[in-house]
Amino acid sequence: MEKTPAIELKNITKTFGAKVIANKNVCLTANHGEILSILGENGSGKTTLMNMISGIYFPDEGQIFINGEEVMIASPKDAFAYKIGMIHQHFKLVDVFSATENIVLGLKEKGKFNLKAAEQKVEEICHKYGFEVDLKKKIYTMSVSEKQTVEIIKVLYRGADILILDEPTAVLTPQETQKLFAVLRRMRDDGKCIIIITHKLHEVLSLSDRVSVLRKGEYVGTVNTCETTESQLTEMMVGKKMELNIDRSEPKNMEDRLEVQHISCVNRQGATVLDDVSFTARSGEILGIAGIAGSGQRELLEAIAGLQYLTQGDIYYHNPKTGETDDLRNKTPLQIRELGVRLSFVPEDRLGMGLVGNMDIVDNMMLRSYRKGKSAFLERKKPKDLAEKIIADLEVVTPGADTPVRRLSGGNVQKVLVGREIASSPTVLMAAYPVRGLDINSSYLIYNLLNQQKEKGVAVIFVGEDLDVLLELCDRIMVIGSGRITGMVDARTATKEEIGLLMTKTASVEESAEGGSDNG
Amino acid sequence: MDMWNIFVAFISSSIPLGIPLLYGSTGEILTEKSGHLNLGIPGIMYVGAISGVIGSFLYEMSCGNVKENMVPALAILIPLLCCIIGSVLMGLIYSFLTVTLRANQNVTGLALTTFGIGIGNFFGGSLTKLVDTDLPNIILTKTSDFFCVELPFADKLGWFGQIFLSHDFLTYTAIIIALVVSFVLNRTRVGLNLRAVGENPATADAAGINVTRYKYLATSIGSAIAGLGGLQYVMAYASGVWSNNAFGDRGWMAIALVIFALWKPTMAIVGSFLFGALCNVYNYVHHFFRLGHTANRELFNLLPYIVTLLVLIITSMRKKREHQPPQSLGLSYFREER
C-alpha cells in the first residue's frame, strides 16, 4: 500500500533563551497508516519537537507541512484544526472532572450543551477501537492507565488523524502496555498516523513501522524498523557503541542491616496500603522491589524513611558501627538520623520530595547538611565543593552550580539527587524508580552508582519498573502486590514470567476489575 | 410588639443585610473559578458603590434636586451603569496585573482594596463640597426611593409579604444572578471551560480554550457583580446615604463566604442570608434576651466575625476532593514555562 505523508517537518529550529538549543534543523516525515517512533535520549528535544507540532511552542525557524500543505500552528487550537492530537507525558486532564467532561472540554460544538449525547458519541469511539472505561468516573479516582485511555479517547473524539504519544508506556505495567499497543495498531490500520516518543528500544522494535532518531536536538536519521537492530538504534541515539550489560558482582560480607517485621499502614482514605510486610535488607546486596505501580512500593520506602505512620509492625536497624539494634518504628526522619542511622532515600517524586526546584544545586546539597556546624551562619563551602564534585563526577549538564535545579532536564535532576544521597555515605540506600524518564546513558550511570554502593557494603533497596533491569541489576527481587509481599526470588535464576505472575498474584481480584477498564 | 412581629421584622431586615455579601461572594466565586483569588473585592465593592453614588448625585443635581423632574428609568440606570463601569475598570486593572503581567495575586488584590477604599472615601468626602454643605454624608434619598419600590401586595400579605416581597429589586437581582452563575458554571460549555481554566490552565490551554480571555472575562464580570453589592448597600440598605467607611468589612466577609459556600453560588445564597442574620442579631437581641448592661449588647457585633473564623477552621478540615478550591487558584499561568 502506498503511504501518503500526513505530516512533514522541514528544518525546524527552536531555542530557549540564548543558550539552550532544543531543536536544530530537524526534518522528518510521518505517513498515514503507520506508526513512527521518535527515539532519542533525554534532552534530545523529542518533546519540544512534538510540542511545536501540537501548538504549545512555536518554532523559531522551519516549515511544517500537513497533507502536503504548509501550515502555521500557532496554538493548540490550530493543531486541532489540522487534526493533530497530542497525548502528553503528564496528562492534561482536570482531576475533578469526569471522563466525559474532560473529553468534551474546550469544544465548540453546535447546539445545546448535552453531556449525555456526548457520552454516547464517546461510547461509539470506545467501541470502535476497543477502549473500556467508565465515562462517569472522576479523573482523580482513576489509575494511570485509565487516565491515559481518557487522553487517547479525547483526541480521537476531536477527530484527530495524527496522534502523538509522549512516552506512553513510562507508567504502564507490561500487560497495560500490550493493551495500549493493540489499540494503537488498530488505529494505524484505520489509517491514522501515530507518532510515539520513547526511549525504550524493545518497544520501538515491536511496535513501530519506522524510527526517526534525534540526538542533542539534531535529526540523525530514519530507518525502517524491520531493517534495523537494537545496537544500530542505540548507536544512532547515543553516537557511540554502548556496552549495555550491567556488571553484577557477587555480594560480599552480607549482614542483616534492616529488618522489616509485619508492618502495615493505611492511607488517608483509610484503605490498607501495606499489609503485614516483612523482609530483611542485607548489606552488600541490591534488593529489588517489583510490582504494579501503586502497589505500596512508595509507602513501604516512606515507612522506612519515617514518613508513614505504621499501624503495626517494627523496623529494626542493625547498626554496623555500634552493633546495636534500633527500632525505627514511627520515628521522624530527624530522630532516625539522630540514632546514627545513615539512611539515604531517592524518592520517586524528584522535584516534589527530593529536591527544591527553585533552589540551586548548592542549596539543594545543603538540605542535607544545614544542621552541621555550630556557627549561626551557614557553612557554604563544603556543599559548594560537593555540588561541583557531583557535577564533574556524574557529568551533570548545567550552566553552573548556581542554576535552579528545575531548569535541568530530568536525567540531570536525578543525577544531582542520587549524587547527594550517595555523598552522605549511607548504610542503607533506597531508590524508587531512579531511572524513570531517563535515557540509556543516564540510566546506566545510575545503575553503576547503585552497584558501587553495593560493593561498598551498603544495603541497597531498588524499586524498579523494568523487569529486565531488575533481573540484571539486583541480587534478590521482592515482589509486592496490593500492599502484600507475594514472593521473594533470586534475581540470578528467576525469569520475567515468574515475576510477572507474582506481581498479579494477590492483586488478581483488583487486576480483573482494573483490567476491565483498561485499554481494551 | 409581640415576639412574632419582632421575629418577622428581624428576618425581613436581615435579608438586605446579606445581599452585599451575596453579590461579593458570587462575583468572587466566578473570579476564583478562573483561578484568580481576587482580594481586591472589598475595594471593588467600594468603587462600585461610589461610582453609582457619583452617577446618581450628578443626575439628581441636573434635575435640580426635584424628584418630579427625575425619570425613574434613568434614576436607576445611571447609577447602575456607573457602578458597573467603575467596578469593571477595577477588575480590568486586576486582570491586567495578574493575568497579563503575572503579578502576585494576593499583593495585587490587597493593593486594589486599599486603592478602592481610598477612591471611595476621596469622592465620598469631596462630592458634598460641590453643593456647599457641611454635611459629612451624601444623601440620595430620591434615587434610593426609586431603587426601593416594593413588590405589589407586599403590605397586604402580612408576614409573608414582609419577608419575601418587601425588598428592593437589587435584592432579587442578587439571587437571580447567583442562580444564573450557578447554572452557567455547572450546566453550560462555557462554565465547563471556565472551571477547567481554574483547575488546570495548561490542560484548558491544550484543549484549545483561550485561557487569558476566560480569566479576563471571569474577573471583570465577577467584579461587576461584586460592585453591585456596594451599590445595593448604599441605595437600599443605607437608604441612599453615603458616609465614608460605612460599608465596613463586608467585602472581606464576602470572600470568607466563598469558602463557606464551597465555591457554589447556590450555597452562597444560604450563607449570605445566614451572615446577614448574624450581623442583624445586634439590632434585635435586646428584644429577645435580658442583657443587663447595654455594653453586653456590643458583644453581639462580634458574632459574624466569630462565625467567620469558625467557618474557616471547620472548612479547612474538609477533605473531599470536590470541596477543594480550584486547583490552580492563586497561580499565574505561563504557557512556555519550563
Side-chain angles (χ1 to χ4, degrees):
Chain A
M1 191 175 87
E2 185 60 32
K3 283 171 180 166
T4 51
I7 184 161
E8 286 172 277
L9 304 181
K10 286 188 179 155
N11 300 316
I12 297 284
T13 300
K14 172 81 186 173
T15 56
F16 291 102
K19 273 186 188 162
V20 192
I21 300 167
N23 286 126
K24 197 175 154 195
N25 289 327
V26 176
C27 306
L28 56 88
T29 308
N31 297 325
H32 283 294
E34 93 171 353
I35 299 179
L36 174 77
S37 292
I38 304 220
L39 189 64
E41 292 194 86
N42 262 74
S44 62
K46 295 166 297 195
T47 306
T48 308
L49 187 67
M50 292 306 119
N51 276 337
M52 281 188 278
I53 301 178
S54 59
I56 306 275
Y57 299 154
F58 191 73
D60 297 342
E61 282 170 40
Q63 298 154 295
I64 300 174
F65 293 86
I66 287 172
N67 297 326
E69 275 174 54
E70 185 174 353
V71 295
M72 279 259 292
I73 305 174
S75 72
K77 233 191 223 165
D78 294 353
F80 291 147
Y82 296 119
K83 302 192 165 183
I84 299 168
M86 175 133 179
I87 290 110
H88 295 267
Q89 197 176 354
H90 306 287
F91 301 131
K92 304 246 171 180
L93 295 172
V94 180
D95 278 350
V96 293
F97 285 11
S98 72
T100 315
E101 282 177 321
N102 266 292
I103 289 165
V104 300
L105 185 65
L107 289 180
K108 288 190 187 69
E109 287 167 317
K110 288 208 176 72
K112 209 173 142 247
F113 179 61
N114 188 341
L115 268 182
K116 280 220 178 84
E119 216 159 81
Q120 271 178 5
K121 212 175 137 194
V122 175
E123 258 161 23
E124 279 166 32
I125 294 174
C126 294
H127 188 69
K128 185 170 170 191
Y129 295 109
F131 295 110
E132 278 175 41
V133 68
D134 180 0
L135 296 174
K136 289 197 174 64
K137 211 166 159 184
K138 290 268 165 72
I139 297 296
Y140 69 88
T141 60
M142 287 187 174
S143 72
V144 178
S145 138
E146 284 175 284
K147 287 182 195 172
Q148 189 180 51
T149 310
V150 175
E151 278 277 9
I152 298 173
I153 300 173
K154 187 166 116 184
V155 296
L156 289 174
Y157 186 85
R158 280 142 215 260
D161 269 342
I162 302 167
L163 274 88
I164 304 166
L165 293 96
D166 190 358
E167 311 227 356
T169 60
V171 285
L172 302 183
T173 63
Q175 288 88 344
E176 287 167 342
T177 304
Q178 287 314 316
K179 278 181 192 165
L180 172 69
F181 284 2
V183 170
L184 291 180
R185 289 194 187 102
R186 226 166 292 160
M187 293 197 283
R188 171 189 63 191
D189 298 341
D190 195 41
K192 301 208 182 291
C193 166
I194 292 162
I195 303 176
I196 75 165
I197 301 173
T198 182
H199 47 236
K200 292 187 183 166
L201 285 173
H202 60 276
E203 287 176 0
V204 171
L205 292 167
S206 71
L207 179 69
S208 58
D209 301 303
R210 292 190 308 137
V211 191
S212 291
V213 184
L214 293 181
R215 184 169 68 219
K216 293 189 176 131
E218 287 182 65
Y219 174 65
V220 181
T222 302
V223 289
N224 289 326
T225 312
C226 52
E227 295 161 6
T228 189
T229 60
E230 200 159 324
S231 63
Q232 190 200 351
L233 287 176
T234 314
E235 204 182 318
M236 286 173 80
M237 203 160 98
V238 297
K240 58 182 184 228
K241 259 214 148 57
M242 284 256 315
E243 189 52 60
L244 284 185
N245 290 322
I246 305 169
D247 269 343
R248 175 166 53 188
S249 56
E250 284 297 321
K252 280 178 286 194
N253 308 325
M254 289 204 295
E255 301 171 31
D256 288 358
R257 181 66 68 233
L258 198 66
E259 233 177 290
V260 173
Q261 287 183 352
H262 308 289
I263 63 168
S264 296
C265 79
V266 294
N267 64 8
R268 289 181 72 172
Q269 280 78 41
T272 305
V273 278
L274 283 182
D275 188 5
D276 197 21
V277 170
S278 303
F279 69 92
T280 307
R282 295 186 290 226
S283 64
E285 72 157 12
I286 299 182
L287 173 67
I289 299 181
I292 297 165
S295 300
Q297 297 96 320
R298 180 201 172 109
E299 287 79 6
L300 178 57
L301 296 198
E302 286 183 359
I304 297 171
L307 300 170
Q308 287 276 352
Y309 180 80
L310 298 181
T311 48
Q312 68 160 51
D314 291 294
I315 299 169
Y316 293 110
Y317 173 77
H318 302 290
N319 198 323
K321 270 198 183 146
T322 59
E324 284 169 16
T325 298
D326 298 306
D327 189 354
L328 308 186
R329 179 184 176 176
N330 293 341
K331 290 210 163 55
T332 66
L334 186 62
Q335 285 171 326
I336 290 176
R337 207 182 305 175
E338 277 166 356
L339 278 176
V341 179
R342 292 211 303 277
L343 199 68
S344 278
F345 182 27
V346 178
E348 181 178 352
D349 181 8
R350 290 159 208 168
L351 284 178
M353 274 176 74
L355 301 168
V356 179
N358 282 331
M359 291 188 351
D360 66 24
I361 303 178
V362 180
D363 286 350
N364 271 296
M365 295 300 136
M366 290 173 64
L367 288 179
R368 267 229 168 235
S369 64
Y370 69 99
R371 284 175 186 280
K372 285 184 188 149
K374 292 207 169 61
S375 154
F377 299 101
L378 288 170
E379 149 90 66
R380 288 190 70 91
K381 181 80 178 67
K382 277 186 198 150
K384 187 155 197 288
D385 292 344
L386 175 59
E388 268 154 15
K389 187 170 176 292
I390 289 173
I391 293 171
D393 290 357
L394 305 187
E395 293 164 7
V396 179
V397 182
T398 165
D402 50 4
T403 308
V405 288
R406 88 187 138 80
R407 290 195 185 274
L408 308 182
S409 77
N412 288 314
V413 168
Q414 188 71 338
K415 285 181 199 170
V416 171
L417 176 57
V418 174
R420 182 188 75 192
E421 291 302 310
I422 287 173
S424 61
S425 49
T427 51
V428 178
L429 173 64
M430 300 187 289
Y433 308 110
V435 299
R436 179 177 279 177
L438 263 59
D439 57 75
I440 293 186
N441 259 336
S442 315
S443 299
Y444 276 80
L445 204 136
I446 302 284
Y447 298 148
N448 285 334
L449 285 172
L450 294 180
N451 257 327
Q452 281 169 17
Q453 292 301 307
K454 159 185 160 183
E455 277 158 26
K456 277 190 191 167
V458 176
V460 181
I461 300 176
F462 172 77
V463 179
E465 44 199 345
D466 189 334
L467 294 184
D468 291 311
V469 169
L470 278 166
L471 284 168
E472 263 189 76
L473 178 72
C474 303
D475 299 296
R476 288 182 302 155
I477 297 173
M478 183 168 85
V479 188
I480 188 167
S482 302
R484 284 173 160 275
I485 302 301
T486 53
M488 178 77 91
V489 295
D490 184 340
R492 285 179 176 76
T493 54
T495 62
K496 247 166 95 171
E497 288 69 30
E498 203 180 316
I499 296 176
L501 269 176
L502 286 170
M503 273 165 72
T504 49
K505 202 167 108 188
T506 51
S508 58
V509 184
E510 209 174 88
E511 177 61 13
S512 60
E514 238 180 46
S517 47
D518 273 338
N519 299 341
Chain B
M1 277 204 281
D2 62 85
M3 274 305 191
W4 171 247
N5 283 339
I6 297 172
F7 181 72
V8 169
F10 169 67
I11 298 290
S12 175
S13 60
S14 296
I15 289 174
L17 257 177
I19 292 303
L21 303 186
L22 179 55
Y23 274 114
S25 50
T26 308
E28 180 69 4
I29 287 171
L30 195 64
T31 310
E32 289 197 14
K33 282 288 181 186
S34 77
H36 281 247
L37 180 68
N38 189 355
L39 294 182
I41 286 291
I44 289 170
M45 295 177 86
Y46 261 87
V47 169
I50 196 69
S51 305
V53 165
I54 293 172
S56 68
F57 181 80
L58 295 178
Y59 183 62
E60 280 196 16
M61 291 257 289
S62 73
C63 296
N65 283 326
V66 181
K67 194 179 175 186
E68 282 64 39
N69 291 347
M70 292 166 74
V71 184
L74 285 181
I76 286 174
L77 279 180
I78 289 173
L80 211 56
L81 210 66
C82 289
C83 162
I84 289 173
I85 291 171
S87 31
V88 166
L89 277 178
M90 290 289 279
L92 284 175
I93 296 175
Y94 177 84
S95 323
F96 180 69
L97 287 169
T98 58
V99 182
T100 307
L101 301 182
R102 291 187 284 276
N104 181 301
Q105 295 181 10
N106 298 346
V107 177
T108 310
L110 291 174
L112 214 58
T113 288
T114 318
F115 176 63
I117 294 175
I119 286 193
N121 289 345
F122 170 72
F123 283 105
S126 55
L127 269 189
T128 47
K129 301 287 178 286
L130 291 177
V131 284
D132 277 343
T133 61
D134 283 331
L135 281 176
N137 306 330
I138 305 167
I139 296 167
L140 302 164
T141 35
K142 295 176 215 68
T143 312
S144 172
D145 286 345
F146 290 112
F147 273 83
C148 296
V149 178
E150 289 186 357
L151 289 183
F153 315 116
D155 47 354
K156 294 188 188 120
L157 291 173
W159 63 271
F160 181 84
Q162 202 184 345
I163 290 179
F164 293 105
L165 303 175
S166 68
H167 306 293
D168 62 298
F169 81 95
L170 280 177
T171 296
Y172 303 107
T173 316
I175 297 167
I176 293 167
I177 289 178
L179 293 174
V180 168
V181 169
S182 174
F183 178 82
V184 168
L185 282 177
N186 297 315
R187 294 262 182 277
T188 67
R189 198 167 277 134
V190 172
L192 185 74
N193 293 354
L194 177 65
R195 282 187 288 141
V197 168
E199 289 289 337
N200 193 337
T203 298
D205 196 9
I209 297 168
N210 188 334
V211 173
T212 309
R213 190 168 77 192
Y214 269 88
K215 281 175 181 269
Y216 262 90
L217 277 176
T219 308
S220 302
I221 296 172
S223 300
I225 295 172
L228 288 176
L231 187 68
Q232 191 271 349
Y233 172 80
V234 178
M235 294 305 173
Y237 179 75
S239 315
V241 179
W242 168 279
S243 31
N244 281 355
N245 289 324
F247 187 70
D249 35 22
R250 290 180 167 78
W252 296 116
M253 280 166 68
I255 292 177
L257 199 59
V258 172
I259 302 169
F260 174 83
L262 304 168
W263 291 267
K264 292 187 179 79
T266 42
M267 277 290 285
I269 299 177
V270 178
S272 60
F273 289 149
L274 178 70
F275 272 74
L278 288 172
C279 294
N280 205 14
V281 167
Y282 169 77
N283 301 322
Y284 283 82
V285 69
H286 60 280
H287 293 297
F288 295 108
F289 300 103
R290 204 179 297 278
L291 290 170
H293 199 279
T294 49
N296 292 347
R297 199 176 138 205
E298 298 297 321
L299 281 176
F300 286 87
N301 263 332
L302 277 174
L303 205 55
Y305 304 99
I306 291 172
V307 173
T308 305
L309 273 179
L310 287 177
V311 162
L312 290 179
I313 292 168
I314 293 167
T315 49
S316 64
M317 294 191 287
R318 184 169 49 199
K319 289 204 182 91
K320 204 175 168 206
R321 198 57 190 271
E322 279 86 352
H323 294 165
Q324 298 298 323
Q327 215 171 19
S328 58
L329 183 65
L331 306 174
S332 302
Y333 174 62
F334 179 39
R335 187 189 283 172
E336 291 207 18
E337 179 103 319
R338 304 212 334 147

